[in-house]
Amino acid sequence: MYMYNLSVLRQEVVRALFLCKERSVMNENNENNVEVLLVQPKKIPKKVSISRELKSLQKMVGGYISFTYPFKEDVGIVLNDEGKLLGLPFNRALRDENGDPYDIINGDFLVVGLTDDISSLPPEMMDKFERLFHKPEVLTKVGGYLMISQIESEN
């Protein structure tokens, strides 16, 4: 009976996909860079230019990456796969259409465009998600409940 660490296996699959894609995307005009939104705990989001390479994405979020697609728009979130397990600082809550939190993200994350690969966020999506994540949040335990509050940024 074989036992696999699913997190490691998932990272290897993502790595292999990125390596194949890197070879077909990279050229001398640096088309491998994309404009995305970096969201950090207790800070306002900022536009950054990053490489699509796996190592670059891992460096931006501080570890193994995971993708989530919580929005109807063609955007995704790249986050640290082990952010909660590692006890990275609380960053933002993901909310449903009623504004109720259904998940939290710990550590830095990126909001990226999606086409057939990671792409730059179009200007209107950059603005929309900058507004959505503009106010930093803190997580506080009150009694037996967790409370999410917006705060002023440390920028």
Side-chain angles (χ1 to χ4, degrees):
M1 178 170 168
Y2 294 101
M3 296 188 67
Y4 296 101
N5 180 328
L6 291 179
S7 179
V8 172
L9 186 58
R10 180 174 43 235
Q11 288 300 315
E12 289 302 315
V13 169
V14 169
R15 182 175 168 274
L17 290 172
F18 270 93
L19 289 175
C20 291
K21 198 57 143 172
E22 282 173 19
R23 290 186 186 103
S24 66
V25 172
M26 287 175 49
N27 69 21
E28 64 280 352
N29 294 329
N30 207 15
E31 288 181 15
N32 201 33
N33 283 357
V34 291
E35 302 288 322
V36 300
L37 195 64
L38 171 63
V39 185
Q40 298 174 297
K42 299 184 181 177
K43 295 183 179 182
I44 60 172
K46 63 182 173 183
K47 179 180 171 180
V48 295
S49 178
I50 65 163
S51 168
R52 298 178 206 206
E53 296 177 13
L54 177 61
K55 287 185 190 241
S56 177
L57 295 169
Q58 288 175 325
K59 182 177 179 182
M60 294 299 293
V61 301
Y64 292 126
I65 63 170
S66 184
F67 290 86
T68 186
Y69 311 98
F71 310 109
K72 62 183 175 191
E73 296 84 359
D74 288 333
V75 301
I77 291 180
V78 179
L79 56 105
N80 186 311
D81 189 47
E82 300 174 322
K84 292 174 189 167
L85 294 173
L86 295 173
L88 296 180
F90 169 74
N91 192 337
R92 302 292 199 283
L94 294 177
R95 300 172 188 278
D96 64 19
E97 60 277 350
N98 299 318
D100 297 324
Y102 65 86
D103 199 1
I104 60 172
I105 299 177
N106 290 53
D108 297 352
F109 68 90
L110 302 167
V111 182
V112 302
L114 296 175
T115 51
D116 59 338
D117 190 10
I118 292 175
S119 62
S120 291
L121 277 176
E124 67 277 0
M125 290 294 108
M126 187 75 72
D127 291 341
K128 177 179 181 167
F129 288 99
E130 195 286 328
R131 284 191 310 273
L132 179 67
F133 293 118
H134 186 75
K135 291 193 175 183
E137 297 175 327
V138 292
L139 188 66
T140 310
K141 188 173 183 179
V142 179
Y145 299 94
L146 295 176
M147 189 167 117
I148 300 169
S149 307
Q150 293 183 335
I151 60 168
E152 293 299 316
S153 72
E154 292 181 354
N155 286 16

